[in-house]
mmCIF file of all heavy atoms in Angstrom:
data_model
loop_
_atom_site.group_PDB
_atom_site.id
_atom_site.type_symbol
_atom_site.label_atom_id
_atom_site.label_comp_id
_atom_site.label_asym_id
_atom_site.label_seq_id
_atom_site.Cartn_x
_atom_site.Cartn_y
_atom_site.Cartn_z
ATOM 1 N N TYR I 242 -1.947 0.304 -10.175
ATOM 2 C CA TYR I 242 -2.822 0.942 -11.167
ATOM 3 C C TYR I 242 -4.175 0.240 -11.233
ATOM 4 O O TYR I 242 -5.230 0.888 -11.228
ATOM 5 C CB TYR I 242 -2.159 0.926 -12.545
ATOM 6 C CG TYR I 242 -3.010 1.570 -13.624
ATOM 7 C CD1 TYR I 242 -3.032 2.951 -13.785
ATOM 8 C CD2 TYR I 242 -3.812 0.798 -14.470
ATOM 9 C CE1 TYR I 242 -3.820 3.552 -14.757
ATOM 10 C CE2 TYR I 242 -4.599 1.383 -15.440
ATOM 11 C CZ TYR I 242 -4.599 2.758 -15.583
ATOM 12 O OH TYR I 242 -5.387 3.339 -16.546
ATOM 13 N N ILE I 243 -4.170 -1.090 -11.295
ATOM 14 C CA ILE I 243 -5.426 -1.847 -11.369
ATOM 15 C C ILE I 243 -6.264 -1.608 -10.116
ATOM 16 O O ILE I 243 -7.468 -1.390 -10.197
ATOM 17 C CB ILE I 243 -5.143 -3.351 -11.587
ATOM 18 C CG1 ILE I 243 -4.589 -3.575 -13.007
ATOM 19 C CG2 ILE I 243 -6.402 -4.189 -11.369
ATOM 20 C CD1 ILE I 243 -4.165 -4.993 -13.306
ATOM 21 N N ARG I 244 -5.625 -1.593 -8.963
ATOM 22 C CA ARG I 244 -6.354 -1.327 -7.714
ATOM 23 C C ARG I 244 -6.986 0.066 -7.746
ATOM 24 O O ARG I 244 -8.152 0.238 -7.372
ATOM 25 C CB ARG I 244 -5.404 -1.428 -6.522
ATOM 26 C CG ARG I 244 -4.964 -2.841 -6.212
ATOM 27 C CD ARG I 244 -4.114 -2.891 -4.964
ATOM 28 N NE ARG I 244 -3.794 -4.275 -4.633
ATOM 29 C CZ ARG I 244 -3.523 -4.706 -3.408
ATOM 30 N NH1 ARG I 244 -3.537 -3.862 -2.396
ATOM 31 N NH2 ARG I 244 -3.238 -5.974 -3.184
ATOM 32 N N LYS I 245 -6.210 1.042 -8.196
ATOM 33 C CA LYS I 245 -6.702 2.427 -8.222
ATOM 34 C C LYS I 245 -7.906 2.560 -9.139
ATOM 35 O O LYS I 245 -8.900 3.220 -8.797
ATOM 36 C CB LYS I 245 -5.571 3.355 -8.680
ATOM 37 C CG LYS I 245 -5.963 4.825 -8.852
ATOM 38 C CD LYS I 245 -4.735 5.693 -9.080
ATOM 39 C CE LYS I 245 -4.057 5.365 -10.390
ATOM 40 N NZ LYS I 245 -4.746 5.928 -11.577
ATOM 41 N N GLU I 246 -7.841 1.923 -10.318
ATOM 42 C CA GLU I 246 -8.935 2.036 -11.279
ATOM 43 C C GLU I 246 -10.195 1.317 -10.778
ATOM 44 O O GLU I 246 -11.309 1.805 -10.967
ATOM 45 C CB GLU I 246 -8.494 1.478 -12.641
ATOM 46 C CG GLU I 246 -7.421 2.315 -13.343
ATOM 47 C CD GLU I 246 -7.856 3.755 -13.548
ATOM 48 O OE1 GLU I 246 -8.906 3.982 -14.187
ATOM 49 O OE2 GLU I 246 -7.157 4.666 -13.063
ATOM 50 N N PHE I 247 -10.018 0.159 -10.161
ATOM 51 C CA PHE I 247 -11.177 -0.540 -9.601
ATOM 52 C C PHE I 247 -11.751 0.238 -8.417
ATOM 53 O O PHE I 247 -12.971 0.273 -8.225
ATOM 54 C CB PHE I 247 -10.805 -1.963 -9.167
ATOM 55 C CG PHE I 247 -11.051 -2.998 -10.231
ATOM 56 C CD1 PHE I 247 -10.063 -3.338 -11.136
ATOM 57 C CD2 PHE I 247 -12.281 -3.622 -10.337
ATOM 58 C CE1 PHE I 247 -10.289 -4.277 -12.128
ATOM 59 C CE2 PHE I 247 -12.522 -4.577 -11.317
ATOM 60 C CZ PHE I 247 -11.527 -4.902 -12.223
ATOM 61 N N GLN I 248 -10.881 0.861 -7.639
ATOM 62 C CA GLN I 248 -11.329 1.621 -6.480
ATOM 63 C C GLN I 248 -12.268 2.759 -6.881
ATOM 64 O O GLN I 248 -13.174 3.127 -6.127
ATOM 65 C CB GLN I 248 -10.115 2.187 -5.731
ATOM 66 C CG GLN I 248 -10.371 2.481 -4.260
ATOM 67 C CD GLN I 248 -10.504 1.217 -3.428
ATOM 68 O OE1 GLN I 248 -9.667 0.335 -3.482
ATOM 69 N NE2 GLN I 248 -11.579 1.131 -2.665
ATOM 70 N N LYS I 249 -12.062 3.293 -8.071
ATOM 71 C CA LYS I 249 -12.913 4.383 -8.563
ATOM 72 C C LYS I 249 -14.377 3.954 -8.671
ATOM 73 O O LYS I 249 -15.289 4.789 -8.615
ATOM 74 C CB LYS I 249 -12.423 4.878 -9.927
ATOM 75 C CG LYS I 249 -11.102 5.636 -9.879
ATOM 76 C CD LYS I 249 -10.661 6.032 -11.288
ATOM 77 C CE LYS I 249 -9.311 6.742 -11.277
ATOM 78 N NZ LYS I 249 -8.854 7.057 -12.658
ATOM 79 N N LEU I 250 -14.606 2.640 -8.835
ATOM 80 C CA LEU I 250 -15.975 2.142 -8.964
ATOM 81 C C LEU I 250 -16.774 2.351 -7.681
ATOM 82 O O LEU I 250 -18.002 2.391 -7.708
ATOM 83 C CB LEU I 250 -15.975 0.656 -9.349
ATOM 84 C CG LEU I 250 -15.310 0.283 -10.681
ATOM 85 C CD1 LEU I 250 -15.394 -1.215 -10.903
ATOM 86 C CD2 LEU I 250 -15.951 1.034 -11.838
ATOM 87 N N GLU I 251 -16.076 2.460 -6.553
ATOM 88 C CA GLU I 251 -16.790 2.720 -5.293
ATOM 89 C C GLU I 251 -17.445 4.097 -5.339
ATOM 90 O O GLU I 251 -18.561 4.285 -4.852
ATOM 91 C CB GLU I 251 -15.819 2.624 -4.110
ATOM 92 C CG GLU I 251 -15.335 1.210 -3.866
ATOM 93 C CD GLU I 251 -14.725 1.013 -2.494
ATOM 94 O OE1 GLU I 251 -14.257 1.996 -1.884
ATOM 95 O OE2 GLU I 251 -14.713 -0.141 -2.024
ATOM 96 N N GLU I 252 -16.737 5.059 -5.946
ATOM 97 C CA GLU I 252 -17.267 6.424 -6.020
ATOM 98 C C GLU I 252 -18.264 6.590 -7.158
ATOM 99 O O GLU I 252 -19.304 7.234 -7.002
ATOM 100 C CB GLU I 252 -16.112 7.419 -6.200
ATOM 101 C CG GLU I 252 -15.088 7.398 -5.079
ATOM 102 C CD GLU I 252 -13.832 8.178 -5.432
ATOM 103 O OE1 GLU I 252 -13.859 8.923 -6.428
ATOM 104 O OE2 GLU I 252 -12.828 8.031 -4.715
ATOM 105 N N THR I 253 -17.945 5.991 -8.318
ATOM 106 C CA THR I 253 -18.776 6.234 -9.508
ATOM 107 C C THR I 253 -19.962 5.294 -9.628
ATOM 108 O O THR I 253 -20.991 5.645 -10.208
ATOM 109 C CB THR I 253 -17.918 6.117 -10.787
ATOM 110 O OG1 THR I 253 -17.370 4.785 -10.870
ATOM 111 C CG2 THR I 253 -16.785 7.125 -10.781
ATOM 112 N N LYS I 254 -19.843 4.070 -9.071
ATOM 113 C CA LYS I 254 -20.905 3.065 -9.244
ATOM 114 C C LYS I 254 -21.497 2.573 -7.929
ATOM 115 O O LYS I 254 -22.359 1.697 -7.933
ATOM 116 C CB LYS I 254 -20.356 1.854 -10.027
ATOM 117 C CG LYS I 254 -19.763 2.197 -11.391
ATOM 118 C CD LYS I 254 -20.838 2.609 -12.379
ATOM 119 C CE LYS I 254 -20.243 2.861 -13.765
ATOM 120 N NZ LYS I 254 -21.279 3.288 -14.735
ATOM 121 N N GLY I 255 -21.000 3.099 -6.813
ATOM 122 C CA GLY I 255 -21.524 2.659 -5.513
ATOM 123 C C GLY I 255 -21.201 1.223 -5.193
ATOM 124 O O GLY I 255 -21.934 0.544 -4.463
ATOM 125 N N MET I 256 -20.081 0.719 -5.724
ATOM 126 C CA MET I 256 -19.707 -0.678 -5.499
ATOM 127 C C MET I 256 -18.741 -0.781 -4.327
ATOM 128 O O MET I 256 -18.199 0.221 -3.854
ATOM 129 C CB MET I 256 -19.077 -1.252 -6.768
ATOM 130 C CG MET I 256 -19.966 -1.073 -7.984
ATOM 131 S SD MET I 256 -19.337 -1.895 -9.441
ATOM 132 C CE MET I 256 -19.769 -3.569 -9.057
ATOM 133 N N LYS I 257 -18.525 -2.016 -3.859
ATOM 134 C CA LYS I 257 -17.550 -2.270 -2.801
ATOM 135 C C LYS I 257 -16.443 -3.129 -3.392
ATOM 136 O O LYS I 257 -16.714 -4.219 -3.931
ATOM 137 C CB LYS I 257 -18.224 -2.982 -1.623
ATOM 138 C CG LYS I 257 -17.326 -3.135 -0.407
ATOM 139 C CD LYS I 257 -16.946 -1.806 0.192
ATOM 140 C CE LYS I 257 -16.025 -1.993 1.400
ATOM 141 N NZ LYS I 257 -15.459 -0.726 1.871
ATOM 142 N N ILE I 258 -15.181 -2.652 -3.321
ATOM 143 C CA ILE I 258 -14.045 -3.349 -3.916
ATOM 144 C C ILE I 258 -13.118 -3.848 -2.819
ATOM 145 O O ILE I 258 -12.724 -3.091 -1.921
ATOM 146 C CB ILE I 258 -13.254 -2.420 -4.868
ATOM 147 C CG1 ILE I 258 -14.185 -1.768 -5.899
ATOM 148 C CG2 ILE I 258 -12.127 -3.200 -5.549
ATOM 149 C CD1 ILE I 258 -14.903 -2.724 -6.818
ATOM 150 N N TYR I 259 -12.773 -5.130 -2.888
ATOM 151 C CA TYR I 259 -11.835 -5.736 -1.941
ATOM 152 C C TYR I 259 -10.618 -6.261 -2.690
ATOM 153 O O TYR I 259 -10.718 -6.663 -3.850
ATOM 154 C CB TYR I 259 -12.491 -6.906 -1.201
ATOM 155 C CG TYR I 259 -13.632 -6.527 -0.291
ATOM 156 C CD1 TYR I 259 -14.954 -6.598 -0.729
ATOM 157 C CD2 TYR I 259 -13.393 -6.114 1.023
ATOM 158 C CE1 TYR I 259 -16.008 -6.262 0.113
ATOM 159 C CE2 TYR I 259 -14.437 -5.782 1.875
ATOM 160 C CZ TYR I 259 -15.745 -5.849 1.407
ATOM 161 O OH TYR I 259 -16.774 -5.520 2.240
ATOM 162 N N TYR I 260 -9.485 -6.267 -2.008
ATOM 163 C CA TYR I 260 -8.299 -6.959 -2.532
ATOM 164 C C TYR I 260 -7.402 -7.305 -1.350
ATOM 165 O O TYR I 260 -7.400 -6.609 -0.328
ATOM 166 C CB TYR I 260 -7.546 -6.126 -3.570
ATOM 167 C CG TYR I 260 -7.445 -4.651 -3.276
ATOM 168 C CD1 TYR I 260 -6.542 -4.159 -2.330
ATOM 169 C CD2 TYR I 260 -8.264 -3.738 -3.943
ATOM 170 C CE1 TYR I 260 -6.451 -2.813 -2.058
ATOM 171 C CE2 TYR I 260 -8.190 -2.384 -3.663
ATOM 172 C CZ TYR I 260 -7.264 -1.925 -2.726
ATOM 173 O OH TYR I 260 -7.193 -0.577 -2.449
ATOM 174 N N PRO I 261 -6.626 -8.380 -1.464
ATOM 175 C CA PRO I 261 -5.794 -8.808 -0.330
ATOM 176 C C PRO I 261 -4.601 -7.879 -0.148
ATOM 177 O O PRO I 261 -4.214 -7.155 -1.068
ATOM 178 C CB PRO I 261 -5.324 -10.214 -0.733
ATOM 179 C CG PRO I 261 -6.135 -10.590 -1.936
ATOM 180 C CD PRO I 261 -6.527 -9.312 -2.598
ATOM 181 N N GLU I 262 -3.997 -7.933 1.037
ATOM 182 C CA GLU I 262 -2.728 -7.230 1.206
ATOM 183 C C GLU I 262 -1.714 -7.875 0.259
ATOM 184 O O GLU I 262 -1.840 -9.057 -0.111
ATOM 185 C CB GLU I 262 -2.268 -7.306 2.655
ATOM 186 C CG GLU I 262 -2.098 -8.711 3.208
ATOM 187 C CD GLU I 262 -1.814 -8.690 4.703
ATOM 188 O OE1 GLU I 262 -0.751 -8.176 5.083
ATOM 189 O OE2 GLU I 262 -2.661 -9.186 5.470
ATOM 190 N N PRO I 263 -0.681 -7.118 -0.178
ATOM 191 C CA PRO I 263 0.231 -7.608 -1.233
ATOM 192 C C PRO I 263 0.830 -8.991 -0.998
ATOM 193 O O PRO I 263 0.921 -9.790 -1.923
ATOM 194 C CB PRO I 263 1.315 -6.526 -1.271
ATOM 195 C CG PRO I 263 0.594 -5.279 -0.865
ATOM 196 C CD PRO I 263 -0.404 -5.713 0.173
ATOM 197 N N ILE I 264 1.225 -9.308 0.229
ATOM 198 C CA ILE I 264 1.856 -10.606 0.510
ATOM 199 C C ILE I 264 0.902 -11.766 0.243
ATOM 200 O O ILE I 264 1.319 -12.897 -0.016
ATOM 201 C CB ILE I 264 2.374 -10.660 1.971
ATOM 202 C CG1 ILE I 264 3.282 -11.879 2.198
ATOM 203 C CG2 ILE I 264 1.219 -10.660 2.959
ATOM 204 C CD1 ILE I 264 4.578 -11.836 1.474
ATOM 205 N N LEU I 265 -0.418 -11.487 0.270
ATOM 206 C CA LEU I 265 -1.413 -12.532 0.024
ATOM 207 C C LEU I 265 -1.900 -12.557 -1.422
ATOM 208 O O LEU I 265 -2.737 -13.384 -1.779
ATOM 209 C CB LEU I 265 -2.610 -12.349 0.962
ATOM 210 C CG LEU I 265 -2.321 -12.498 2.463
ATOM 211 C CD1 LEU I 265 -3.551 -12.168 3.284
ATOM 212 C CD2 LEU I 265 -1.815 -13.899 2.782
ATOM 213 N N CYS I 266 -1.386 -11.645 -2.259
ATOM 214 C CA CYS I 266 -1.760 -11.646 -3.681
ATOM 215 C C CYS I 266 -0.973 -12.703 -4.449
ATOM 216 O O CYS I 266 -1.518 -13.420 -5.285
ATOM 217 C CB CYS I 266 -1.511 -10.268 -4.296
ATOM 218 S SG CYS I 266 -2.633 -8.991 -3.717
ATOM 219 N N THR I 267 0.333 -12.762 -4.190
ATOM 220 C CA THR I 267 1.154 -13.771 -4.842
ATOM 221 C C THR I 267 0.936 -15.117 -4.146
ATOM 222 O O THR I 267 0.269 -15.199 -3.120
ATOM 223 C CB THR I 267 2.641 -13.370 -4.786
ATOM 224 O OG1 THR I 267 2.994 -13.078 -3.432
ATOM 225 C CG2 THR I 267 2.890 -12.137 -5.638
ATOM 226 N N ASP I 268 1.506 -16.177 -4.704
ATOM 227 C CA ASP I 268 1.276 -17.515 -4.160
ATOM 228 C C ASP I 268 1.756 -17.604 -2.708
ATOM 229 O O ASP I 268 2.885 -17.202 -2.387
ATOM 230 C CB ASP I 268 2.003 -18.562 -5.007
ATOM 231 C CG ASP I 268 1.399 -18.699 -6.397
ATOM 232 O OD1 ASP I 268 0.305 -18.155 -6.623
ATOM 233 O OD2 ASP I 268 2.031 -19.347 -7.257
ATOM 234 N N ASN I 269 0.909 -18.130 -1.853
ATOM 235 C CA ASN I 269 1.225 -18.281 -0.439
ATOM 236 C C ASN I 269 0.381 -19.413 0.135
ATOM 237 O O ASN I 269 -0.570 -19.870 -0.497
ATOM 238 C CB ASN I 269 0.977 -16.971 0.313
ATOM 239 C CG ASN I 269 -0.494 -16.592 0.344
ATOM 240 O OD1 ASN I 269 -1.233 -16.989 1.240
ATOM 241 N ND2 ASN I 269 -0.952 -15.847 -0.675
ATOM 242 N N ALA I 270 0.732 -19.861 1.314
ATOM 243 C CA ALA I 270 0.014 -21.000 1.901
ATOM 244 C C ALA I 270 -1.103 -20.578 2.839
ATOM 245 O O ALA I 270 -1.988 -21.376 3.140
ATOM 246 C CB ALA I 270 0.999 -21.906 2.642
ATOM 247 N N ALA I 271 -1.100 -19.313 3.294
ATOM 248 C CA ALA I 271 -2.184 -18.862 4.164
ATOM 249 C C ALA I 271 -3.514 -18.942 3.421
ATOM 250 O O ALA I 271 -4.537 -19.356 3.987
ATOM 251 C CB ALA I 271 -1.917 -17.435 4.639
ATOM 252 N N MET I 272 -3.504 -18.579 2.145
ATOM 253 C CA MET I 272 -4.741 -18.624 1.361
ATOM 254 C C MET I 272 -5.208 -20.070 1.164
ATOM 255 O O MET I 272 -6.413 -20.347 1.119
ATOM 256 C CB MET I 272 -4.541 -17.943 0.003
ATOM 257 C CG MET I 272 -3.614 -18.665 -0.952
ATOM 258 S SD MET I 272 -3.350 -17.724 -2.486
ATOM 259 C CE MET I 272 -2.658 -19.021 -3.559
ATOM 260 N N ILE I 273 -4.262 -21.004 1.073
ATOM 261 C CA ILE I 273 -4.597 -22.424 0.902
ATOM 262 C C ILE I 273 -5.175 -22.982 2.209
ATOM 263 O O ILE I 273 -6.111 -23.788 2.192
ATOM 264 C CB ILE I 273 -3.350 -23.234 0.466
ATOM 265 C CG1 ILE I 273 -2.805 -22.688 -0.870
ATOM 266 C CG2 ILE I 273 -3.677 -24.720 0.353
ATOM 267 C CD1 ILE I 273 -3.811 -22.669 -2.009
ATOM 268 N N ALA I 274 -4.640 -22.525 3.328
ATOM 269 C CA ALA I 274 -5.191 -22.943 4.623
ATOM 270 C C ALA I 274 -6.593 -22.374 4.812
ATOM 271 O O ALA I 274 -7.486 -23.061 5.322
ATOM 272 C CB ALA I 274 -4.267 -22.479 5.745
ATOM 273 N N SER I 275 -6.796 -21.114 4.402
ATOM 274 C CA SER I 275 -8.118 -20.495 4.543
ATOM 275 C C SER I 275 -9.155 -21.219 3.695
ATOM 276 O O SER I 275 -10.239 -21.559 4.181
ATOM 277 C CB SER I 275 -8.049 -19.020 4.143
ATOM 278 O OG SER I 275 -9.330 -18.427 4.205
#
């Protein structure tokens, strides 16, 4: 739901919205290495 609502800003406000794939949203070590 949060992703969908933020995504609407691309159409209504001309913004660019990014978010990680689901496995990288919760705690993980790939993000710590990056």
Side-chain angles (χ1 to χ4, degrees):
Y242 180 82
I243 290 175
R244 289 184 176 206
K245 176 171 66 77
E246 292 303 303
F247 267 91
Q248 204 72 51
K249 290 177 182 177
L250 299 180
E251 291 197 336
E252 300 168 13
T253 61
K254 303 290 184 181
M256 306 186 77
K257 187 64 181 171
I258 308 299
Y259 294 95
Y260 40 77
E262 58 187 295
I264 192 68
L265 296 175
C266 290
T267 52
D268 292 348
N269 66 89
M272 68 184 196
I273 300 304
S275 177

